[in-house]
Amino acid sequence: MLDLLNAIMNSQQGGAVNQLSRQFNLDQNQTQSALQALVPALAAGLKQNASSPTGLQNLIGALSTGRHDKYVENPNLLEDPSTREEGNSILSHILGSKDVSRSVASPASEQTGIR
């Protein structure tokens, strides 16, 4: 989990965190707190997907159908409206459903004070 968090925080020499901060009108500390609150659930979802051949196959299929690395290569693309739809699709594969996504977001919001 710590490796995943570090990878996100250090992506593009911090450019991804900076872009997320701008996108959601947050300061750096708020963005980092949000990531620290959300990454454990994402890591658990990835682990659960990887433990099932079908889950892993479906996740790999979802990730390979788009060119999602473009967001790492160019964090400015996070501002594009289509990004939200792609993100929600990947989240549904990782976490299982919109309801689970909401149940992850709610405590993270309470923990960080970000609404």
Side-chain angles (χ1 to χ4, degrees):
M1 174 182 60
L2 190 55
D3 289 339
L4 179 58
L5 180 60
N6 286 334
I8 293 168
M9 297 286 204
N10 296 318
S11 176
Q12 296 290 311
Q13 292 81 38
V17 173
N18 290 334
Q19 185 60 40
L20 286 169
S21 295
R22 284 193 302 273
Q23 175 73 24
F24 295 103
N25 198 29
L26 302 170
D27 65 39
Q28 289 270 154
N29 290 333
Q30 289 174 307
T31 304
Q32 290 176 355
S33 293
L35 289 169
Q36 289 169 340
L38 295 169
V39 165
L42 295 174
L46 289 169
K47 183 178 179 179
Q48 183 173 348
N49 274 278
S51 69
S52 157
T54 304
L56 183 59
Q57 183 179 17
N58 289 341
L59 180 59
I60 289 171
L63 291 171
S64 64
T65 59
R67 201 176 146 257
H68 305 291
D69 59 333
K70 66 185 173 188
Y71 301 112
V72 174
E73 294 168 3
N74 184 2
N76 291 326
L77 292 173
L78 293 171
E79 295 178 16
D80 190 288
S82 66
T83 303
R84 182 180 305 243
E85 184 177 317
E86 287 185 42
N88 285 335
S89 176
I90 296 300
L91 276 177
S92 71
H93 283 282
I94 294 172
L95 298 175
S97 71
K98 286 184 181 183
D99 291 334
V100 174
S101 293
R102 289 183 188 115
S103 72
V104 167
S106 182
S109 175
E110 289 178 25
Q111 178 183 347
T112 62
I114 300 170
R115 306 283 179 232

